Amino acid sequence: EPEVTQTPSHQVTQMGQEVILRCVPISNHLYFYWYRQILGQKVEFLVSFYNNEISEKSEIFDDQFSVERPDGSNFTLKIRSTKLEDSAMYFCATNRESSTEAFFGQGTRLTVV
Amino acid sequence: EDQVTQSPEALRLQEGESSSLNCSYTVSGLRGLFWYRQDPGKGPEFLFTLYSAGEEKEKERLKATLTKKESFLHITAPKPEDSATYLCAVQARNTDKLIFGTGTRLQVFP
């Protein structure tokens, strides 16, 4: 069964550093998303990406964050100047069409120290 | 504001003891309601999508139903391997994002 692959599974970084989280979507999927889940809290939407551009973003997704699809396969989330409160599980999700089920990756646990 | 509320927060069942999880929602035009299962430290695993009131879907011991204000996930004769957090999410008509509830943590004891 095809799946969404995320790397790394766990990243520890110092406050103020930049991190890049990577996702390999399911091959025929066109819609890509990043969500995050702070420990013990809800899964929260960050950004959606379609046709090589951001289609929607939440209030959380400020200038500290950026997304791109650099090589047609990987989908990345860059977090600049990380803060302690950025510590969370970050999930990539993809689906074929905007109204169908989204498949989630296993997540990257980001710990900012 | 679009919102999802799930209850109960936690549920402990004996193996074989059927029960239901509730998801109440308010949304500005429902495009879809989604149920996911999440195991500790893992990503949400898709279970069902429901699109309109009256719709029902089944998968093994799980059955999801939908009304205009809420959805139920019925678990029939659960087994210990059904232990997980069950997440409900809605998608409104004018957006692609999912809005999640806080989930129901289900524990099934043998």
Side-chain angles (χ1 to χ4, degrees), chain A residues 7-102:
Chain A
T7 56
S9 56
H10 190 191
Q11 171 105 36
V12 180
T13 189
Q14 289 206 324
M15 193 167 52
Q17 295 297 304
E18 175 181 286
V19 295
I20 297 176
L21 311 183
R22 292 183 169 81
C23 168
V24 179
I26 297 172
S27 61
N28 61 345
H29 285 193
L30 302 177
Y31 290 81
F32 313 119
Y33 310 85
W34 285 101
Y35 288 81
R36 79 172 184 190
Q37 187 175 32
I38 295 170
L39 188 63
Q41 297 187 22
K42 294 183 184 184
V43 176
E44 301 175 287
F45 170 78
L46 293 178
V47 65
S48 59
F49 190 86
Y50 170 70
N51 204 23
N52 287 320
E53 62 182 27
I54 291 173
S55 51
E56 189 174 358
K57 60 183 181 180
S58 71
E59 292 175 352
I60 302 168
F61 194 89
D62 59 20
D63 293 342
Q64 185 193 4
F65 296 88
S66 62
V67 291
E68 63 176 0
R69 200 163 179 227
D71 56 11
S73 59
N74 291 298
F75 177 50
T76 64
L77 174 69
K78 183 187 291 185
I79 309 175
R80 288 180 281 275
S81 189
T82 49
K83 299 176 268 193
L84 294 176
E85 53 265 39
D86 295 327
S87 297
M89 281 287 281
Y90 287 81
F91 295 110
C92 172
T94 75
N95 52 306
R96 293 191 313 273
E97 301 169 16
S98 64
S99 61
T100 63
E101 56 269 21

Side-chain angles (χ1 to χ4, degrees), chain A residues 31 33 35 37 42-43 45 48 55-56 89 91 98-102 104-106 109, chain B residues 4 31 34 36 38 41-44 46 49 51 87 91 95-98 100-102:
Chain A
Y31 290 81
Y33 310 85
Y35 288 81
Q37 187 175 32
K42 294 183 184 184
V43 176
F45 170 78
S48 59
S55 51
E56 189 174 358
M89 281 287 281
F91 295 110
S98 64
S99 61
T100 63
E101 56 269 21
F104 283 74
Q106 292 300 292
R109 179 173 298 282
Chain B
V4 175
R31 176 187 265 182
F34 301 78
Y36 284 86
Q38 186 177 30
K42 304 290 186 183
F46 172 77
T49 310
Y51 294 103
L87 303 175
Q91 186 181 48
T95 177
D96 292 330
K97 70 182 178 187
L98 297 177
F100 282 86
T102 51

Side-chain angles (χ1 to χ4, degrees), chain B residues 28-79:
Chain B
S28 51
L30 181 70
R31 176 187 265 182
L33 183 140
F34 301 78
W35 282 99
Y36 284 86
R37 168 190 171 130
Q38 186 177 30
D39 292 300
K42 304 290 186 183
E45 176 189 342
F46 172 77
L47 294 173
F48 303 108
T49 310
L50 301 167
Y51 294 103
S52 56
E55 190 174 359
E56 299 183 352
K57 287 195 177 170
E58 286 188 66
K59 179 180 179 180
E60 296 180 354
R61 295 177 291 282
L62 300 177
K63 178 179 171 181
T65 61
L66 181 65
T67 72
K68 288 186 178 178
K69 293 184 179 180
E70 58 191 352
S71 176
F72 291 93
L73 185 66
H74 307 279
I75 303 177
T76 302
K79 298 182 177 181

